[in-house]
């Protein structure tokens, strides 16, 4: 048995056990950093640290507090909060109590929150603030299993027999531990590998969310498999801002416990640019939209700097992409990431003029980023690789505990999601669907045996619903969602995500794009522009002072975007080309239900909402 196999096979039975082992191993090492408002109330946030021992003190108090509230093993405790240090400590506390965490996005409305709380039969809700509490209070009559709400931020909250603060819960737990110091050790020792740890409701692009049941063994495997990849080490500093209610964010907490590195936690997306130079992370995980926004912002800033500055940026971007492709190709052939002398010389100049500034904006120490949740346009991936920021794409689903594939460090290949994690099997079905099997696959959908049987075979193979291709040496490329493939009336199949990704690499102003063409004789697109970038463009093009809706309706804006559509079409097959498009009056967002909290496009919702624009594009048209 190899060292990797030994590491994975000898995994502990639970995340709680993994946590206690980490605390015992490195009690005084720094575990977490988190921001707090400056003592003066003015100026930037101050960052504080918790050692593993200090984190354990709070985790044990939360666990004991939940036990005091009557929470039993495998009962659900819901967490409705943004990403913050308290989320991580509460999640660990829930698991150390032997209970299971039900995750709820803070943006979820009262009706859907109530559905999740009811379907999961959550006994306790840990709510971030008064706004999250209000949803539970509004729907309390529909939630007979819910006995208490614990509020993290007490501002504006009145406590009662039903409502208490997190500080009060921890105080109760600490008092219980004084009387019964072995309480948590006993609870953790009784947890089995098949015991439920997490219930994550898929945000889904259609229909009601389904609760994905993930036992402790899923997370213990993930922790060991992530460590086995060697992508991170104990000296790394991770910047964690991803939603912890989503499986992508959640898996990063398990991997950190196994490796023992520092994690800086702050889920405020608007603080990312401000925080990066302060935290100076060595690695960070993100969704493609973040890299698209950074790329578009850099391109827009260069354009605003004038013709010469923009030409330098365009030249540097092209050199960077060529350099990245060359070094990756050479590494594949020889094992050395090098490029021809002339290209290397040009890249050195481009680095001085453009790329060094980009790295500095990321904090200066970033070795790599992991990208997941959706496809990253290869041209954007190559751009950042050329800038010295290697984006390692990975792949997985909620049903596979997030990570099933990841690109292997120096041997990464832009445009692929890498190789399977140790212990994960992959198979491509006859119709191109990706099938997975291994210790990371879910137990099933909560209370939905028929839905489970539709995707999970008796021998353990899970049907992902994604279409992909495997290279001879095991690298996976995702081509599209099985259900999202478009078949035109002419019988041609089109992968809309591929076309959409290419457009995001071409147009620096796009935020979201939906390609439509199922059963039609040509393809069209609905395009939403990035508000910040397009309003900056508007200032320079005679539209200053106009609202977003006015800017996107202006003929000059339509003409500008049309130029990028033509540029896109030049690289597509005839049947893939976008014949017509419409600019949307506002960007797509989570609040309107058009994208998921993990920033995936909800195609049926968008197509239904903008059906009139789609029909308008096809009205009276003949095949072009």
């Amino acid at each position: 048995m190899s060292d990797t196999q030994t590491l994975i096979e000898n995994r502990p039975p639970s995340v709680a056990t993994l946590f206690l082992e980490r605390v015992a191993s490195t009690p005084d090492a720094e575990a977490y950093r988190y921001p707090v408002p400056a003592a003066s109330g003015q100026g930037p946030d101050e960052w504080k640290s918790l050692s593993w021992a200090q984190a354990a003190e709070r985790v044990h108090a939360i666990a004991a507090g939940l036990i005091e509230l009557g929470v039993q093993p495998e009962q659900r405790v819901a967490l409705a909060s943004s990403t913050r240090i308290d989320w991580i400590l509460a999640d660990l506390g829930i698991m150390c109590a032997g209970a299971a965490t039900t995750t709820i996005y803070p943006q979820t409305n009262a009706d859907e929150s109530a559905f999740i709380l009811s379907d999961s039969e959550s006994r306790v809700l840990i709510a971030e603030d008064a706004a999250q509490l209000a949803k539970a209070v509004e729907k309390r009559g529909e939630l007979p299993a819910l006995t208490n709400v614990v509020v993290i931020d007490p501002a504006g909250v009145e406590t009662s027999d039903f409502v208490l603060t997190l500080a009060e819960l921890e105080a109760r737990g600490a008092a219980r531990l004084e009387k019964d110091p072995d309480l948590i050790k006993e609870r953790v020792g009784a947890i089995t590998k098949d015991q439920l740890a997490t219930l994550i409701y898929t945000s889904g692009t259609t229909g009601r969310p389904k609760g994905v049941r993930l036992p402790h063994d899923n997370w213990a495997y993930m922790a060991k498999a992530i460590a086995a990849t060697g992508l991170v080490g104990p000296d790394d500093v991770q910047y964690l801002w991803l939603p912890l209610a989503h499986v992508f964010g959640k898996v990063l907490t398990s991997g950190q416990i196994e490796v023992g590195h520092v994690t800086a936690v702050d889920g405020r997306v608007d603080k990312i640019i401000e925080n990066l130079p302060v935290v100076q992370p060595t690695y960070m995980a993100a969704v493609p939209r973040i890299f698209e926004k950074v790329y578009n912002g850099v391109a827009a800033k260069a354009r605003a700097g004038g013709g010469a500055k923009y030409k330098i940026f365009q030249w540097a971007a092209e050199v960077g992409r060529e350099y990245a492709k060359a070094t990756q190709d050479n590494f594949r052939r020889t094992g050395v990431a090098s490029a021809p002398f002339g290209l290397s010389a040009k890249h050195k100049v481009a680095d001085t003029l453009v790329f060094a500034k980009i790295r500095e904006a990321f904090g200066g120490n970033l070795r790599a980023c992991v990208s997941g949740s959706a496809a990253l346009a290869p041209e954007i991936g190559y751009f950042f690789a050329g800038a010295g920021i290697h984006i390692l794409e990975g792949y997985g689903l909620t049903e596979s505990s997030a990570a099933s594939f990841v690109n292997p460090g120096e041997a990464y290949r832009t445009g692929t999601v890498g190789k399977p994690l140790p212990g994960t099997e992959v198979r491509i079905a006859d119709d191109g669907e990706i099938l997975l099997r291994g210790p990371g696959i879910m137990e099933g959908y909560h209370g939905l045996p028929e839905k489970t049987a539709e995707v999970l075979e008796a021998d353990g193979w899970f049907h992902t619903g994604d279409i992909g291709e495997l290279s001879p040496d095991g690298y996976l490329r995702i081509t599209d969602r099985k259900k999202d493939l478009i078949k035109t009336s002419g019988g041609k199949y089109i992968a809309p995500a591929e076309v959409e990704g290419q457009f995001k690499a071409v147009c620096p102003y796009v935020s979201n794009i939906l390609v439509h063409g199922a059963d039609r004789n040509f393809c069209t697109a609905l395009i939403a522009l990035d508000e910040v970038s397009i309003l900056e463009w508007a200032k320079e093009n005679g539209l200053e002072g106009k609202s977003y809706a006015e800017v996107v309706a202006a003929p000059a804006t339509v003409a500008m975007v049309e130029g990028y559509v033509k540029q896109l079409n030049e690289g597509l097959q005839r049947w893939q080309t976008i014949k017509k498009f419409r600019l949307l009056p506002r960007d797509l967002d989570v609040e309107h239900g058009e994208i998921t909290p993990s920033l995936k496009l909800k195609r049926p919702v968008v197509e239904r909402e903008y059906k009139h624009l789609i029909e308008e594009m096809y009205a009276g048209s003949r095949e072009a």
Side-chain angles (χ1 to χ4, degrees), residues 434-503:
I434 302 161
L435 307 184
L436 300 174
R437 185 166 65 178
I441 301 302
M442 67 172 179
E443 177 187 320
Y445 295 121
H446 185 66
L448 298 170
E450 292 181 0
K451 292 289 185 183
T452 299
E454 288 176 7
V455 298
L456 194 57
E457 296 179 8
D459 60 358
W461 284 103
F462 170 66
H463 290 249
T464 65
D466 288 313
I467 303 295
E469 302 168 348
L470 270 176
S471 70
D473 54 350
Y475 284 76
L476 179 67
R477 188 172 78 88
I478 310 293
T479 55
D480 217 312
R481 287 290 295 172
K482 187 175 179 179
K483 62 186 176 183
D484 288 340
L485 285 175
I486 289 173
K487 187 178 183 182
T488 68
S489 59
K492 295 288 189 180
Y493 280 99
I494 297 168
E498 185 176 343
V499 178
E500 291 158 1
Q502 289 185 45
F503 186 68

Side-chain angles (χ1 to χ4, degrees), residues 515-564:
V515 172
H516 180 85
D519 301 319
R520 305 283 194 170
N521 54 5
F522 59 87
C523 290
T524 58
L526 298 172
I527 299 172
L529 302 180
D530 179 76
E531 185 169 354
V532 174
S533 297
I534 200 60
L535 291 182
E536 283 295 322
W537 177 88
K539 290 179 185 178
E540 303 157 17
N541 289 272
L543 298 170
E544 187 170 7
K546 301 286 186 183
S547 68
Y548 174 87
E550 290 171 327
V551 170
V552 297
T557 310
V558 175
M560 180 268 289
V561 175
E562 185 175 18
Y564 287 112

Side-chain angles (χ1 to χ4, degrees), residues 327-338 410:
T327 53
Q328 287 186 34
D329 287 344
N330 200 45
F331 189 90
R332 192 179 314 177
R333 293 193 310 268
T334 68
V336 178
S338 61
E410 267 198 305

Side-chain angles (χ1 to χ4, degrees), residues 607-618:
E607 290 178 338
R608 182 169 61 248
E609 185 170 350
Y610 293 103
K611 183 179 179 181
H612 63 290
L613 292 183
I614 293 173
E615 295 302 329
E616 180 183 291
M617 288 188 280
Y618 289 102

Side-chain angles (χ1 to χ4, degrees), residues 134-359:
K135 298 175 191 177
V137 171
E138 178 188 339
K139 299 291 183 179
R140 187 177 178 184
E142 303 171 22
L143 305 169
L146 190 67
T147 60
N148 292 98
V149 178
V150 178
V151 183
I152 296 171
D153 287 339
V157 172
E158 290 187 15
T159 58
S160 64
D161 290 341
F162 180 59
V163 180
L164 67 158
T165 67
L166 181 61
E168 290 172 336
L169 180 77
E170 291 185 51
R172 290 189 192 184
R176 173 68 184 270
L177 289 172
E178 286 184 9
K179 301 174 186 176
D180 190 356
D182 293 329
L183 176 66
I184 305 307
K185 184 179 179 181
E186 291 169 358
R187 274 285 175 114
V188 172
I191 298 172
T192 64
K193 69 174 188 174
D194 298 323
Q195 193 165 314
L196 184 66
T198 316
L199 194 55
I200 298 182
Y201 281 77
T202 57
S203 49
T205 54
T206 59
R208 278 284 197 186
K210 299 185 290 290
V212 177
R213 293 178 62 88
L214 300 173
H216 275 272
D217 193 49
N218 287 153
W219 298 120
Y221 160 70
M222 281 293 154
K224 295 293 185 179
I226 289 169
T229 65
L231 293 177
V232 289
D235 295 328
D236 274 306
V237 176
Q238 173 187 211
Y239 178 42
L240 177 57
W241 63 269
L242 286 167
L244 288 168
H246 185 262
V247 72
F248 188 18
K250 178 77 168 64
V251 75
L252 298 171
T253 64
S254 297
Q256 180 217 0
I257 295 170
E258 170 61 24
V259 176
H261 61 71
V262 179
T263 291
V265 189
D266 187 355
R268 297 172 294 176
V269 177
D270 61 340
K271 289 281 189 177
I272 292 176
I273 299 301
E274 178 184 325
N275 285 341
L276 284 170
V278 178
V279 174
Q280 296 182 320
T282 58
Y283 88 101
M284 176 181 77
V287 293
R289 184 70 194 114
I290 296 299
F291 301 115
E292 292 161 4
K293 285 179 75 72
V294 172
Y295 173 77
N296 290 343
V298 171
K301 187 174 181 180
R303 183 188 288 273
K309 189 171 183 179
Y310 188 56
K311 285 180 180 178
I312 290 172
F313 169 79
Q314 288 180 305
W315 173 83
E318 188 56 36
V319 168
R321 290 186 179 110
E322 287 182 28
Y323 181 82
K325 290 174 183 176
T327 53
Q328 287 186 34
D329 287 344
N330 200 45
F331 189 90
R332 192 179 314 177
R333 293 193 310 268
T334 68
V336 178
S338 61
F341 176 78
L343 180 57
S344 295
K346 287 194 290 185
H347 180 259
K348 189 173 182 179
V349 176
D351 192 78
T352 301
L353 295 175
V354 176
F355 298 142
K357 299 181 181 71
I358 295 175
R359 289 197 301 277

Side-chain angles (χ1 to χ4, degrees), residues 398-420:
T398 305
E399 292 88 341
S400 67
S401 311
S404 299
F405 285 75
V406 71
N407 263 284
E410 267 198 305
Y412 78 109
R413 295 181 191 173
T414 298
T416 79
V417 295
K419 293 185 171 185

